[in-house]
Amino acid sequence: MSMVDPILALTAFTTVVVFVAILFWPRHGLASRIGRLLRITERVRMEDALKHLFDGEYTGKTCSVESVAGALEISRARAARLVNQLEAMELMHSDGRGLPLTKAGREYALRLLRTHRLWERYLADRTNVKPADWHEQAERQEHTLAPAETEALAARIGHPLYDPHGDPIPTATGEMPPQSGVPLTALTPGQSGAVVHLEDEPREVFQKILDAGLVPLMRVQVIDMTPEKIRFTADGTTLELDPVAATNVTVVPLPQGEVGEGPFDNLASLKSGESATVVQIAPTCQGLHRRRLLDLGFVPGTLVTAELEGALRDPVAYRVRSTLIALRKQQAEWIHIDRSDQAVRS
Amino acid sequence: MAASVSSACDACSVGRAASLVQLGVRLDRWDFLVALAGNPNTGKSTVFNALTGLRQHTGNWPGKTVARAEGGYRHAGRRIKLIDLPGTYSLNAGSADEEVARDFILFGRPDVTVVVVDATRLERNLNLAIQILAITDRVVICLNLVDEAKRRGIGTDVVKLSQLLGVPVVPTVARRGDGIPELLDAIHGVAAGEVKTSPFRIDHYSPDLEAAVERLSRHLERVFPELSNSRWVALRLLAGDGSITTAVRTGEIGTLREDGAPYPGSMATAPSPVSDSSRSDELLALAEELRWTLSPEFQDSLTESSYAAAQTIVQSSTLRGLRRSGFDLDRSLDRLLTSRWLGFPVMLVILSAVFWMTIAGANIPSGAIAALLLDMGHPALKDLAAGIGMPWWVSGILIDGVYLATAWVVAVMLPPMAIFFPLFTLLEDFGYLPRVAFNLDKLFQKAGAHGKQALTMCMGFGCNAAGVVSTRVIDSPRERLIAIITNNFSLCNGRWPTQILIASIFIGALAPAHIAGLVSATAVVSVAVVGIGAMLLASWALSRTVLRGEATTFSLELPPYRPPRIIRTLYTSLIDRTVIVLWRAIVFAAPAGAVIWLLANLHVGGLSIAELMISWLDPFGLLLGLNGVILLAYVVAIPANEIVIPTVLMLTVLTLKLGGVGAGSGVMFELESPSATSDLLRAGGWTLLTGINLMLFSLLHNPCSTTLYTVYKETRSVKWTTLSAALPLAMGFTVCFLIAQIWRIATGL
């Protein structure tokens, strides 16, 4: 019985594997690219234009055919055609001075915005997707989710009020509270505030803000300001940002004395046998993670003792309220503690 | 006074019976419905068993893969149905378990909810109890494990505790049956309305939350006057709880009377959902408006208040000055079992001991069953068939095919499973298994999976289908899927005989006689370890591609060590396992037996179908370093891995047309000694390469049909079931292919 030459077989095999990889590699593979091309349909462009116009209204900037062309990265002629289409669908009317939306247009835009922000919240709370990718993925989903699916999603993640950037999510009936807060640059040294919004475009600036470690709900206190940079504390750690990035951070000023004294130790730093009291769970820990930690008893004021380290050092078992709970290092880092003796003894 | 459910009430859509039917409970023939709730590891199942004895059965909650146990008992002339709710830390509906428990207590409206709390960890357990007290008045607290509490010097003033909580508290040691009669009386008292309760409820939160709750709950009471827990409903609306919001919108929330009776008056006067929708919408709009006024962290303060209340209550009712007895065995044991140097070795020793006991212990019973069913039963049946004049082909299909395959599976499968699973359950009851997950979690974390997958993996070494079911301990759906799809890489009981036989023929034979046994054993263990490696690799790959995403809410409780109830575990485990194996043998293996016989005995153009398929599969088989016989055997043995070797032998004899060996065409058989088997296989062209690749293929091929069926039932998705079959098969083909080519290049063939 003739046997296939092994070298020939291996070569054939490798060729097939390489071919499959070229086709199906995530994001860069042919199949992925073709899919992306097919998705950007006319309707998608139209909805993007609508969103741009709504954003202009909400933030008070005037829009024009040029701004639409710029935002969508298409030619002026195509932009003009889109604007005409929107007008024909009675979603906006041009009155010479700008491109204001009609009531129907505004409602449509709010629905898109709701889907977008709900999806970002879902990505932030329930998935491992990186923060810089949320916006892009939500951009895709807002065009494909049907209204019923959006409502199902909202129910699934607990009808959240804010997206992970700190922006309010329009309700199902299309309401949204007005934007509040001031840019970080408007605070004076010594003043504190709570972060309510991080602008996600342009992406590079957003990445800088993320790299600095900022997230919504953090308490910040300005230390000093120079034309080159602003120094401030956020949840106890000292950070720096350049003024451009700082303008993209919106805060709500807080009355004096509301910021907790940081920096805080976290639970992961406890050695076996040591005890501490829980101060808080880091504001950056939200959603299901936060619920679970609270339900397990890690509420402020609780005494925690590190008892056992596993054979591989991670996870560590902590004795909290007479129970041994094992947490991974990444989770223990979210729990801020106070190790001082008086806190422990009380 | 609880109304007995009459048939008119059953038909009424407003009645409790309708919601219970939706929740999967039939209320005929029972007077009272009792739910059992509590934190995990409080001895809740022991209480359940103590109340129901063996009159219980397990199933699933409808629409969810959460296990449910229900049972019944008689007391004071009444029949009582008892539902065991899943153990949960709270009712915040963050996971399927919590949703199930919460929905049952709220919508199912049991006559009594018994909350089992651990006397040694009262403060933590009361968090759940306080949440339950906010939903329903009719609660009985079962203060379990008071003997352990006494040992640790913890005493509780039961009367004071009962006063503070406003509900009956019954101390018990469920394991010994202490306190159970008093518990039965208390349940009866509350259910029959003889004991009035005034449950403890938190009546002040932080200022803005309190204001919002007050306003919303007063509005709720105006729209739904019969609502007895309006503050709790208000809180859930403010938290954006999906099912409560729906219940308010449809008006269902207003029909939930505490005593389960339908709305007073006729159906015509009951508030119909449609006409009141405007009032409900108004209510929901108010809730929405109030939500914006609360700080996003208000839910934190709810849990804090709950724990603070629990702390106060416990401090007021704990007796001081009791003596602790003995030293802390738990802590020393834990230090040993999870220590850096000893943790892993001890784990390996314990698991090896379990495997060794299974293999060694199963030998004799397997041999006995085989002797009975195969050596004696088979010929006896054939004689009987000949005696009554049965046509040869009928007796062929039924006796040589169906009966033989079924008997084989039972003989090979039953004894090991009957030993492995009780041992495993004992380890679980003892409390050791969470420590295994604790030790191994880092590995699984790197692979993007959950530490508890270590446990489902171990379970898979017994039986893959059981391993798949055991993945229910993993909360997160994504990680559960990873555990399900990769469970097949655990070398299950049914494949050990194949591995051991082939290892001793092809690998042990290479070594000098006195260490041949050791060498083959090492080979088998290596294959199992390769399996574990494959599982970690596959988990990693899955978590980077198709199962990317949902983050884990990892947490693992390490319960205190408790002496397992040996006799009871052996008994229930034995019954469970025996039933499963017998069922499986009949359902899956029987038809396979018929197919095997037919393949070998139906002739087309002078050759049996089997021979045709073998010659057709041969080229592909040889490419993989296997052969057509092996491939065909694996195709027909999809129902059960145990019959692979007997089928291989039968097919080899068939193709070689060897007379005098075997028991006829289409009849599976095994030979007495490995050396006889070796001769036969080598005559069929098997080499060392074939042996090695068979061992690897046996590890890396599609799951057996029982496992596939179980995967489908657990995932309800054709997509994932297909993946769970395709992934190991693809890996098996690839690995065998690569090894065959490299081998041939290396040996210059």
Side-chain angles (χ1 to χ4, degrees), chain B residues 534-722:
Chain B
M535 182 193 66
L536 287 171
L537 183 67
S539 305
W540 178 84
L542 283 172
S543 67
R544 290 301 171 99
T545 53
V546 282
L547 280 173
R548 199 184 346 216
E550 290 200 19
T552 169
T553 48
F554 176 83
S555 71
L556 185 65
E557 189 184 320
L558 300 182
Y561 292 105
R562 302 213 165 108
R565 309 187 61 214
I566 300 187
I567 305 297
R568 196 193 165 94
T569 305
L570 287 178
Y571 178 68
T572 46
S573 221
L574 207 63
I575 302 286
D576 283 341
R577 290 297 125 203
T578 322
V579 167
I580 291 184
V581 171
L582 285 179
W583 172 79
R584 178 178 169 247
I586 296 169
V587 171
F588 288 109
V595 167
I596 293 172
W597 190 90
L598 282 172
L599 278 181
N601 283 287
L602 281 179
H603 289 75
V604 175
L607 282 178
S608 61
I609 299 186
E611 286 167 297
L612 283 172
M613 289 183 74
I614 290 172
S615 61
W616 183 64
L617 287 170
D618 235 1
F620 184 53
L622 285 170
L623 185 64
L624 295 179
L626 300 167
N627 57 44
V629 165
I630 295 177
L631 288 182
L632 181 59
Y634 267 101
V635 169
V636 296
I638 285 183
N641 283 297
E642 296 86 343
I643 52 179
V644 166
I645 289 288
T647 312
V648 160
L649 294 177
M650 181 272 284
L651 289 174
T652 311
V653 164
L654 189 68
T655 49
L656 295 180
K657 309 236 186 293
L658 287 177
V661 190
S665 69
V667 183
M668 301 183 293
F669 67 97
E670 262 187 354
L671 291 170
E672 277 310 313
S673 66
S675 61
T677 316
S678 168
D679 292 336
L680 178 56
L681 292 176
R682 286 184 208 275
W686 289 45
T687 63
L688 178 57
L689 173 65
T690 321
I692 293 179
N693 270 9
L694 177 56
M695 284 175 78
L696 287 172
F697 192 68
S698 157
L699 175 73
L700 301 169
H701 75 284
N702 55 288
C704 70
S705 51
T706 313
T707 309
L708 282 174
Y709 174 65
T710 313
V711 170
Y712 182 67
K713 273 212 313 187
E714 291 291 305
T715 61
R716 285 162 210 279
S717 151
V718 175
K719 175 170 104 166
W720 296 122
T721 313
T722 318

Side-chain angles (χ1 to χ4, degrees), chain B residues 36 224 334 417 653 687 705:
Chain B
L36 203 58
F224 302 110
D334 260 335
M417 279 173 94
V653 164
T687 63
S705 51

